[in-house]
Every structure is written in C-alpha cells, then in structure tokens.
Amino acid sequence: GDLIMKTIDKNTVAQDEIQIRQLTKKWADVWSPKDKTFTGEGFEKIFATGENEILVFDNFGDSVVVLRSLQEYLNTWVPVMQNFSYWEIEIEDNLEISVDGDLAVTTFSWVGGGKSKDGEDVKVRQYGTHTWKRLNHEWRLVHEHLTVG
C-alpha cells in the first residue's frame, strides 16, 4: 500500500507543479502588456483575494513597498506602469518549484523592461520568491517578494 500512496503523491505533486508553472507563466503574461495599457487584469485568478490576504514586498527605487491586498497591488502598480509605452518580462530558465501539501514555494528571476513614455529604454532583472497556497482546491499566490538583481 505504501508504494501506491507514494506513486499517488508523486503524481499529485507533478500535477501541482504543472499548475504552478502555468500560473507563474500567467503572472509574467499579466506583467507583459507590451504596447497595451497595464491593467493587472488576470491577477484575480492568480493572487489570493478576499479574506485570504496577500503580503507583497517589492523593492522599488530606494524603498520597499509592502502591499496587503490585490487592490493595493493594483493601486500601486497601475499608476507606475502608466509611465511606460511598452513593457514585457519573461521568467528566466531557473524556475524552481517545491510543493509540500497545500503550500508551495517558487523561486525565479525575470528579465525584461520596455520603453518609458519619454522614449527611454528600461532594462530590469528581478529575483522573485512566490509562496502559493491551495485554497478551495486551487493554487493561489499569497506572498510575493521581488528584489532587483
């Protein structure tokens, strides 16, 4: 019986990893409006919302932004992103996923950037850690920590 349980566990973890990989890709896609306006639309299917509060640490300029809800996240980033006429990021080839029951952690870096409305080229690389939690049978992002590298 033990072997069967182990196999089932392995399959579940594999499925979880696939889902989290897809959600991470979707996160990067939402962060890549290209020449469209950044709205953050789609984050509501990625981040935990409502009573499952999120916690985000992001270093931006010289300060660390601490955000506690998806609404705060959008209120912070939508105005910032209005300064860009083009923006696109991609996850580098170093996405690591660890799943343990209903919690998972991903580490990664992304590269990208774009063009400011003043015509300036902007290049950025950030290192990220995401903590995911299974809520109502769906993986949701509950913690994000990004730091410029």
Side-chain angles (χ1 to χ4, degrees), residues 73-84:
Y73 193 85
L74 296 174
N75 291 350
T76 301
W77 293 118
V78 169
V80 170
M81 295 302 289
Q82 280 166 358
N83 300 310
F84 296 95

Side-chain angles (χ1 to χ4, degrees), residues 17 29 54 88 96 111 113 116:
E17 284 178 7
D29 289 346
I54 63 169
E88 187 177 10
E96 296 282 335
V111 286
S116 74

Side-chain angles (χ1 to χ4, degrees), residues 74-144:
L74 296 174
N75 291 350
T76 301
W77 293 118
V78 169
V80 170
M81 295 302 289
Q82 280 166 358
N83 300 310
F84 296 95
S85 57
Y86 188 92
W87 191 263
E88 187 177 10
I89 71 168
E90 68 176 333
I91 305 284
E92 292 190 290
D93 208 10
N94 56 5
L95 177 63
E96 296 282 335
I97 304 173
S98 319
V99 179
D100 187 359
D102 290 338
L103 280 176
V105 174
T106 48
T107 56
F108 59 91
S109 59
W110 63 259
V111 286
K115 223 176 199 29
S116 74
K117 291 207 168 140
D118 309 334
E120 202 183 326
D121 282 320
V122 182
K123 287 260 180 286
V124 188
R125 167 186 268 138
Q126 282 197 323
Y127 292 89
T129 305
H130 279 158
T131 305
W132 302 85
K133 195 172 184 181
R134 200 193 313 265
L135 299 163
N136 306 321
H137 310 291
E138 287 187 297
W139 286 105
R140 286 286 190 258
L141 192 47
V142 291
H143 179 64
E144 173 174 293

